[in-house]
Amino acid sequence: MSDLLVGQSYFLRFDPKLHRAMRPQPPLGSLWAASCAREQGHSVQVFDAMLAESEDDWATALEQAHPRFAVLFEDNFNYLSKMCLLRMREAAFRMIAMARKRQCEVIVCGSDATDHSPEYLEQGADYVLSGEGEATLIELLASRTGRGEQPVEAIAGLRFLAADGSLRDTGSRPLLTDLDALPAPARDLIDMERYASIWRQRHGVFSLNMATTRGCPFHCNWCAKPIWGQAYHIRSPEHVVTEMAQLVEQYGVEHIDFADDIMGLQPGWLGQFADCLADAGLGVPYKCLSRTDLLLRKGEIDALRRSGCSTVWMGAESGSQKILDAMEKGTTVEQVEEASAKLRQAGIGVGFFLQFGYPGETYADIDQTRRLVRRCSPDEIGISVSYPLPGTKFHDRVQEQFGAQRNWVDSDDMAMLYAGPYSPSFYRRLYRVVQLEFRRDRALAESIGRDHRPTSTRRRRLRCVAAATAHTLRLPFERWQLQRLRRQSPGGPQLTAQPVDREDAATPTPQPAPHPTPQPTALRAPQG
């Protein structure tokens, strides 16, 4: 028997698009929760839904572990968890029911549970940990097992149903500020060899995820922040490098995927990180996320180069400054172009996140985004339509236009959840067109040796010629279909894009956390 079984409801098997890509990453949120509980002396097992077949595997894990507590601690470092996909919510509800059937106390933590606590409690969860959950989980376990004297009602960060059925909310909890004090994620409790095997068979290299920060202080008005709000906390470079060295030594990791919303926002952090890696004699390529304006700070890109960065993904979002300003993005199209060029000069790959369908976007704005991709020629792109999440200004502006569906079913859904400028069919066709244009241009660049990376073998170049030809032949039909859909759907009810003062939008929340310095506890986290 175990005191608790920790899992999460994101099943890669239920997300066809990403299951085909097969780039699984362990659930950092669940693993951090498990390590915190284990540090307090609890016996812990982990159910890894990422590689599971279905919720039936969770039922099997419950039968084997016989836990008193079943904990669904979602991976808040996985953007798909923040999107609250409907298929994963259904999985969570089924997992709650399975745990209750086995007389477990059920504890849930995650973005969707924070936003929709009553629904999770009505489905049978005993407690919802609102916001960041590790410290709340530790205090709740202590209270429920008799190891602590604090009553449940006095534990900050909890939501539960009272005896009369009313919702009890104990208020918010101060965030963890000393991230170095957290124990390492409990990767030893999952099948790391299976991850390594999948990665090496499918991609030739074992890539593993890490997180150096929590939160984002910027104000993009479509970005939900139910867990960390506007706060931003960061681990020390030395602590991060120590973990990287351990992953290389223990698991043979050959690449790191940093899951931070923004890596190295703190001035000088990336330079210190590069120095620490050099001192440790550690060279591990990695990819990360950043902002175009931050990349243009003096020495930033050079620090990325020195530290072994292979790819930087940035939220380009749109090639239209009007749309960027309406989003309160706080960046400019010119910064996107300049940062892309400088990354390329440093030998670092570039990834663009693109977003279509924001209120007020016209076809001319869409064309500006397509031209931006052509000019910058990124190495990778990710395309989405604007996605209204609870707690955002964007959500508040469009909520009267919602239909029955409020979330995507999976990551390939691409449904317009509000009355966007064009029809859902238009945006799905636009996705195909932009992807085809991008792939054609990438294949052409490599086939004639104009790609910024070294061109590979003659056979590879011939394959690129064939791919470019195939994409070129498909494009006329796809573009014709796009124009047909454009004519058929001139746009439903639209909200005018509202430009904001760019300097205000670019100003992050002041760096000091809005909470008092944490007091020492067994977890080294703030008291409620």
Side-chain angles (χ1 to χ4, degrees):
M1 292 182 62
S2 298
D3 292 336
L4 63 159
L5 177 65
V6 181
Q8 89 284 0
S9 65
Y10 182 80
F11 289 76
L12 187 63
R13 175 68 69 178
F14 296 162
D15 200 339
K17 175 182 174 181
L18 294 188
H19 188 260
R20 289 191 298 271
M22 193 50 65
R23 296 175 176 270
Q25 291 292 2
L28 283 177
S30 302
L31 299 183
W32 247 313
S35 66
C36 289
R38 185 168 61 179
E39 188 179 56
Q40 301 304 304
H42 298 285
S43 58
V44 184
Q45 293 186 41
V46 170
F47 170 75
D48 187 2
M50 180 64 71
L51 298 181
E53 292 295 317
S54 73
E55 302 96 331
D56 292 339
D57 292 344
W58 166 254
T60 300
L62 288 168
E63 292 290 346
Q64 294 175 346
H66 298 291
R68 174 176 175 182
F69 302 97
V71 182
L72 295 184
F73 204 106
E74 302 299 341
D75 186 7
N76 296 313
F77 303 95
N78 181 348
Y79 75 96
L80 291 168
S81 293
K82 187 164 66 174
M83 289 176 71
C84 312
L85 301 172
L86 289 177
R87 184 62 185 88
M88 309 313 167
R89 182 186 292 170
E90 293 171 1
F93 289 170
R94 284 199 66 194
M95 294 167 77
I96 290 170
M98 290 173 170
R100 285 300 299 268
K101 183 179 179 180
R102 292 160 177 80
Q103 288 76 51
C104 299
E105 290 189 45
V106 181
I107 303 168
V108 182
C109 181
S111 297
D112 197 40
T114 294
D115 287 334
H116 301 282
S117 298
E119 289 90 331
Y120 279 79
L121 294 170
E122 289 166 5
Q123 290 292 326
D126 293 287
Y127 304 98
V128 169
L129 314 181
S130 60
E132 188 179 48
E134 290 95 343
T136 306
L137 175 64
I138 293 309
E139 291 184 13
L140 177 60
L141 292 175
S143 177
R144 297 297 299 144
T145 59
R147 300 186 183 191
E149 299 180 357
Q150 191 176 25
V152 168
E153 295 79 4
I155 299 173
L158 271 184
R159 294 172 186 166
F160 55 93
L161 296 180
D164 62 0
S166 62
L167 177 67
R168 293 289 303 274
D169 188 335
T170 61
S172 60
R173 169 183 290 275
L175 297 172
L176 303 175
T177 57
D178 183 7
L179 301 186
D180 286 3
L182 285 168
R187 295 184 178 93
D188 60 297
L189 296 182
I190 61 174
D191 190 351
M192 290 293 290
E193 290 185 3
R194 188 177 176 196
Y195 278 97
S197 176
I198 290 172
W199 272 92
R200 290 191 175 114
Q201 288 179 11
R202 293 293 297 269
H203 310 289
V205 63
F206 180 24
S207 180
L208 193 62
N209 55 341
M210 286 181 59
T212 74
T213 64
R214 294 186 174 193
C216 170
F218 290 91
H219 298 273
C220 305
N221 60 33
W222 42 264
C223 184
K225 302 176 187 291
I227 303 300
W228 295 294
Q230 297 295 140
Y232 180 89
H233 298 109
I234 190 166
R235 297 166 60 189
S236 68
E238 295 83 1
H239 197 257
V240 174
V241 171
T242 296
E243 182 179 353
M244 291 176 69
Q246 291 171 346
L247 296 182
V248 171
E249 181 179 351
Q250 293 179 14
Y251 304 115
V253 170
E254 298 148 313
H255 179 271
I256 299 293
D257 183 353
F258 284 110
D260 309 36
D261 287 336
I262 301 175
M263 185 172 174
L265 182 149
Q266 190 178 85
W269 190 93
L270 282 172
Q272 298 172 34
F273 178 55
D275 293 340
C276 289
L277 285 167
D279 292 342
L282 192 62
V284 184
Y286 68 89
K287 73 174 180 179
C288 66
L289 280 66
S290 188
R291 282 173 56 97
T292 57
D293 51 351
L294 300 181
L295 290 167
L296 296 176
R297 294 184 302 193
K298 184 177 180 180
E300 200 82 354
I301 289 178
D302 183 62
L304 288 166
R305 178 192 60 78
R306 291 193 297 115
S307 59
C309 181
S310 58
T311 305
V312 174
W313 280 83
M314 63 180 83
E317 312 303 350
S318 175
S320 166
Q321 191 61 53
K322 178 191 75 176
I323 297 301
L324 292 180
D325 290 347
M327 291 176 172
E328 299 180 71
K329 181 68 181 178
T331 58
T332 67
V333 175
E334 292 77 15
Q335 288 173 331
V336 173
E337 296 185 58
E338 184 180 357
S340 298
K342 290 185 174 180
L343 285 168
R344 177 150 299 150
Q345 291 169 6
I348 299 173
V350 179
F352 277 7
F353 291 115
L354 304 173
Q355 185 177 156
F356 292 109
Y358 194 83
E361 183 184 59
T362 65
Y363 196 80
D365 297 317
I366 291 171
D367 266 351
Q368 288 183 51
T369 301
R370 292 162 68 184
R371 289 196 294 270
L372 176 69
V373 174
R374 292 290 300 274
R375 291 196 304 272
C376 294
S377 187
D379 300 275
E380 302 176 78
I381 59 172
I383 302 173
S384 179
V385 293
S386 298
Y387 191 95
L389 287 169
T392 64
K393 292 182 184 179
F394 174 38
H395 180 278
D396 293 344
R397 291 176 61 199
V398 302
Q399 60 180 331
E400 293 183 357
Q401 302 175 18
F402 289 162
Q405 185 177 349
R406 302 293 184 92
N407 298 82
W408 286 359
V409 174
D410 55 51
S411 66
D412 202 25
D413 193 325
M414 289 290 285
M416 290 296 293
L417 303 177
Y418 71 105
Y422 294 98
S423 70
S425 297
F426 171 88
Y427 289 107
R428 291 189 177 101
R429 187 69 61 173
L430 176 62
Y431 174 90
R432 295 186 201 176
V433 169
V434 175
Q435 284 283 5
L436 279 173
E437 290 173 340
F438 168 74
R439 293 172 186 172
R440 177 203 60 189
D441 292 346
R442 291 289 302 151
L444 281 173
E446 186 170 349
S447 68
I448 62 178
R450 290 184 180 176
D451 191 87
H452 72 281
R453 293 176 297 186
T455 303
S456 52
T457 64
R458 182 174 180 273
R459 173 179 288 184
R460 170 64 184 170
R461 292 197 298 272
L462 290 174
R463 283 203 298 265
C464 287
V465 170
T469 302
H471 298 328
T472 300
L473 291 174
R474 284 183 59 190
L475 267 170
F477 174 76
E478 296 291 345
R479 287 171 173 164
W480 175 79
Q481 290 279 28
L482 183 67
Q483 291 302 322
R484 181 181 63 83
L485 291 167
R486 176 191 175 191
R487 291 189 297 270
Q488 290 178 355
S489 115
Q494 295 188 33
L495 298 174
T496 302
Q498 299 174 354
V500 297
D501 184 271
R502 196 172 298 156
E503 291 186 2
D504 289 345
T507 304
T509 300
Q511 286 304 298
H515 308 292
T517 302
Q519 300 299 315
T521 68
L523 179 62
R524 298 180 291 280
Q527 290 286 334

PDB file of all heavy atoms in Angstrom, residues 169-183:
ATOM      1  N   ASP A 169     -14.040  28.093   0.310  1.00  0.00           N
ATOM      2  CA  ASP A 169     -12.790  28.546  -0.298  1.00  0.00           C
ATOM      3  C   ASP A 169     -11.956  29.193   0.800  1.00  0.00           C
ATOM      4  O   ASP A 169     -12.366  30.192   1.396  1.00  0.00           O
ATOM      5  CB  ASP A 169     -13.083  29.555  -1.412  1.00  0.00           C
ATOM      6  CG  ASP A 169     -11.846  29.941  -2.221  1.00  0.00           C
ATOM      7  OD1 ASP A 169     -10.727  29.835  -1.681  1.00  0.00           O
ATOM      8  OD2 ASP A 169     -11.992  30.364  -3.378  1.00  0.00           O
ATOM      9  N   THR A 170     -10.792  28.623   1.067  1.00  0.00           N
ATOM     10  CA  THR A 170      -9.962  29.115   2.173  1.00  0.00           C
ATOM     11  C   THR A 170      -9.038  30.256   1.760  1.00  0.00           C
ATOM     12  O   THR A 170      -8.192  30.683   2.542  1.00  0.00           O
ATOM     13  CB  THR A 170      -9.114  27.978   2.768  1.00  0.00           C
ATOM     14  OG1 THR A 170      -8.234  27.463   1.743  1.00  0.00           O
ATOM     15  CG2 THR A 170     -10.006  26.848   3.275  1.00  0.00           C
ATOM     16  N   GLY A 171      -9.185  30.751   0.535  1.00  0.00           N
ATOM     17  CA  GLY A 171      -8.387  31.893   0.094  1.00  0.00           C
ATOM     18  C   GLY A 171      -7.098  31.484  -0.582  1.00  0.00           C
ATOM     19  O   GLY A 171      -6.701  30.312  -0.578  1.00  0.00           O
ATOM     20  N   SER A 172      -6.444  32.455  -1.170  1.00  0.00           N
ATOM     21  CA  SER A 172      -5.217  32.171  -1.926  1.00  0.00           C
ATOM     22  C   SER A 172      -4.023  31.985  -0.991  1.00  0.00           C
ATOM     23  O   SER A 172      -4.027  32.432   0.155  1.00  0.00           O
ATOM     24  CB  SER A 172      -4.924  33.307  -2.908  1.00  0.00           C
ATOM     25  OG  SER A 172      -4.752  34.527  -2.206  1.00  0.00           O
ATOM     26  N   ARG A 173      -3.020  31.319  -1.495  1.00  0.00           N
ATOM     27  CA  ARG A 173      -1.801  31.045  -0.744  1.00  0.00           C
ATOM     28  C   ARG A 173      -0.637  31.787  -1.386  1.00  0.00           C
ATOM     29  O   ARG A 173      -0.524  31.842  -2.616  1.00  0.00           O
ATOM     30  CB  ARG A 173      -1.507  29.538  -0.762  1.00  0.00           C
ATOM     31  CG  ARG A 173      -0.125  29.149  -0.245  1.00  0.00           C
ATOM     32  CD  ARG A 173       0.104  27.660  -0.360  1.00  0.00           C
ATOM     33  NE  ARG A 173      -0.726  26.930   0.573  1.00  0.00           N
ATOM     34  CZ  ARG A 173      -0.400  26.688   1.847  1.00  0.00           C
ATOM     35  NH1 ARG A 173       0.753  27.137   2.323  1.00  0.00           N
ATOM     36  NH2 ARG A 173      -1.203  26.012   2.630  1.00  0.00           N
ATOM     37  N   PRO A 174       0.258  32.353  -0.572  1.00  0.00           N
ATOM     38  CA  PRO A 174       1.469  32.955  -1.148  1.00  0.00           C
ATOM     39  C   PRO A 174       2.246  31.946  -1.982  1.00  0.00           C
ATOM     40  O   PRO A 174       2.315  30.761  -1.645  1.00  0.00           O
ATOM     41  CB  PRO A 174       2.267  33.386   0.091  1.00  0.00           C
ATOM     42  CG  PRO A 174       1.241  33.575   1.157  1.00  0.00           C
ATOM     43  CD  PRO A 174       0.191  32.521   0.890  1.00  0.00           C
ATOM     44  N   LEU A 175       2.804  32.417  -3.087  1.00  0.00           N
ATOM     45  CA  LEU A 175       3.545  31.536  -3.992  1.00  0.00           C
ATOM     46  C   LEU A 175       4.903  31.167  -3.412  1.00  0.00           C
ATOM     47  O   LEU A 175       5.478  31.888  -2.588  1.00  0.00           O
ATOM     48  CB  LEU A 175       3.744  32.233  -5.338  1.00  0.00           C
ATOM     49  CG  LEU A 175       2.481  32.560  -6.129  1.00  0.00           C
ATOM     50  CD1 LEU A 175       2.825  33.416  -7.341  1.00  0.00           C
ATOM     51  CD2 LEU A 175       1.757  31.296  -6.559  1.00  0.00           C
ATOM     52  N   LEU A 176       5.417  30.032  -3.864  1.00  0.00           N
ATOM     53  CA  LEU A 176       6.786  29.652  -3.539  1.00  0.00           C
ATOM     54  C   LEU A 176       7.736  30.637  -4.214  1.00  0.00           C
ATOM     55  O   LEU A 176       7.599  30.921  -5.405  1.00  0.00           O
ATOM     56  CB  LEU A 176       7.080  28.236  -4.026  1.00  0.00           C
ATOM     57  CG  LEU A 176       6.169  27.119  -3.502  1.00  0.00           C
ATOM     58  CD1 LEU A 176       6.523  25.801  -4.194  1.00  0.00           C
ATOM     59  CD2 LEU A 176       6.291  26.975  -2.000  1.00  0.00           C
ATOM     60  N   THR A 177       8.680  31.140  -3.474  1.00  0.00           N
ATOM     61  CA  THR A 177       9.641  32.083  -4.042  1.00  0.00           C
ATOM     62  C   THR A 177      11.039  31.493  -4.144  1.00  0.00           C
ATOM     63  O   THR A 177      11.778  31.816  -5.073  1.00  0.00           O
ATOM     64  CB  THR A 177       9.698  33.373  -3.200  1.00  0.00           C
ATOM     65  OG1 THR A 177      10.028  33.043  -1.849  1.00  0.00           O
ATOM     66  CG2 THR A 177       8.349  34.095  -3.235  1.00  0.00           C
ATOM     67  N   ASP A 178      11.402  30.611  -3.226  1.00  0.00           N
ATOM     68  CA  ASP A 178      12.720  29.983  -3.264  1.00  0.00           C
ATOM     69  C   ASP A 178      12.603  28.646  -3.987  1.00  0.00           C
ATOM     70  O   ASP A 178      12.460  27.587  -3.369  1.00  0.00           O
ATOM     71  CB  ASP A 178      13.253  29.797  -1.844  1.00  0.00           C
ATOM     72  CG  ASP A 178      14.657  29.207  -1.822  1.00  0.00           C
ATOM     73  OD1 ASP A 178      15.270  29.071  -2.917  1.00  0.00           O
ATOM     74  OD2 ASP A 178      15.154  28.882  -0.725  1.00  0.00           O
ATOM     75  N   LEU A 179      12.670  28.689  -5.297  1.00  0.00           N
ATOM     76  CA  LEU A 179      12.487  27.462  -6.079  1.00  0.00           C
ATOM     77  C   LEU A 179      13.647  26.492  -5.913  1.00  0.00           C
ATOM     78  O   LEU A 179      13.487  25.291  -6.135  1.00  0.00           O
ATOM     79  CB  LEU A 179      12.295  27.812  -7.556  1.00  0.00           C
ATOM     80  CG  LEU A 179      11.097  28.718  -7.887  1.00  0.00           C
ATOM     81  CD1 LEU A 179      10.947  28.855  -9.399  1.00  0.00           C
ATOM     82  CD2 LEU A 179       9.819  28.210  -7.253  1.00  0.00           C
ATOM     83  N   ASP A 180      14.811  26.984  -5.518  1.00  0.00           N
ATOM     84  CA  ASP A 180      15.943  26.085  -5.278  1.00  0.00           C
ATOM     85  C   ASP A 180      15.671  25.153  -4.100  1.00  0.00           C
ATOM     86  O   ASP A 180      16.311  24.091  -3.976  1.00  0.00           O
ATOM     87  CB  ASP A 180      17.210  26.888  -4.988  1.00  0.00           C
ATOM     88  CG  ASP A 180      17.791  27.542  -6.230  1.00  0.00           C
ATOM     89  OD1 ASP A 180      17.175  27.416  -7.304  1.00  0.00           O
ATOM     90  OD2 ASP A 180      18.851  28.192  -6.129  1.00  0.00           O
ATOM     91  N   ALA A 181      14.750  25.551  -3.210  1.00  0.00           N
ATOM     92  CA  ALA A 181      14.465  24.742  -2.023  1.00  0.00           C
ATOM     93  C   ALA A 181      13.593  23.534  -2.341  1.00  0.00           C
ATOM     94  O   ALA A 181      13.486  22.624  -1.523  1.00  0.00           O
ATOM     95  CB  ALA A 181      13.788  25.607  -0.959  1.00  0.00           C
ATOM     96  N   LEU A 182      12.976  23.513  -3.513  1.00  0.00           N
ATOM     97  CA  LEU A 182      12.148  22.365  -3.876  1.00  0.00           C
ATOM     98  C   LEU A 182      13.021  21.143  -4.150  1.00  0.00           C
ATOM     99  O   LEU A 182      14.091  21.257  -4.752  1.00  0.00           O
ATOM    100  CB  LEU A 182      11.334  22.679  -5.129  1.00  0.00           C
ATOM    101  CG  LEU A 182      10.139  23.610  -4.977  1.00  0.00           C
ATOM    102  CD1 LEU A 182       9.647  24.048  -6.349  1.00  0.00           C
ATOM    103  CD2 LEU A 182       9.020  22.922  -4.212  1.00  0.00           C
ATOM    104  N   PRO A 183      12.571  19.963  -3.741  1.00  0.00           N
ATOM    105  CA  PRO A 183      13.304  18.754  -4.138  1.00  0.00           C
ATOM    106  C   PRO A 183      13.181  18.538  -5.636  1.00  0.00           C
ATOM    107  O   PRO A 183      12.262  19.054  -6.285  1.00  0.00           O
ATOM    108  CB  PRO A 183      12.594  17.652  -3.357  1.00  0.00           C
ATOM    109  CG  PRO A 183      11.212  18.179  -3.127  1.00  0.00           C
ATOM    110  CD  PRO A 183      11.361  19.670  -2.953  1.00  0.00           C
TER     111      PRO A 183
END
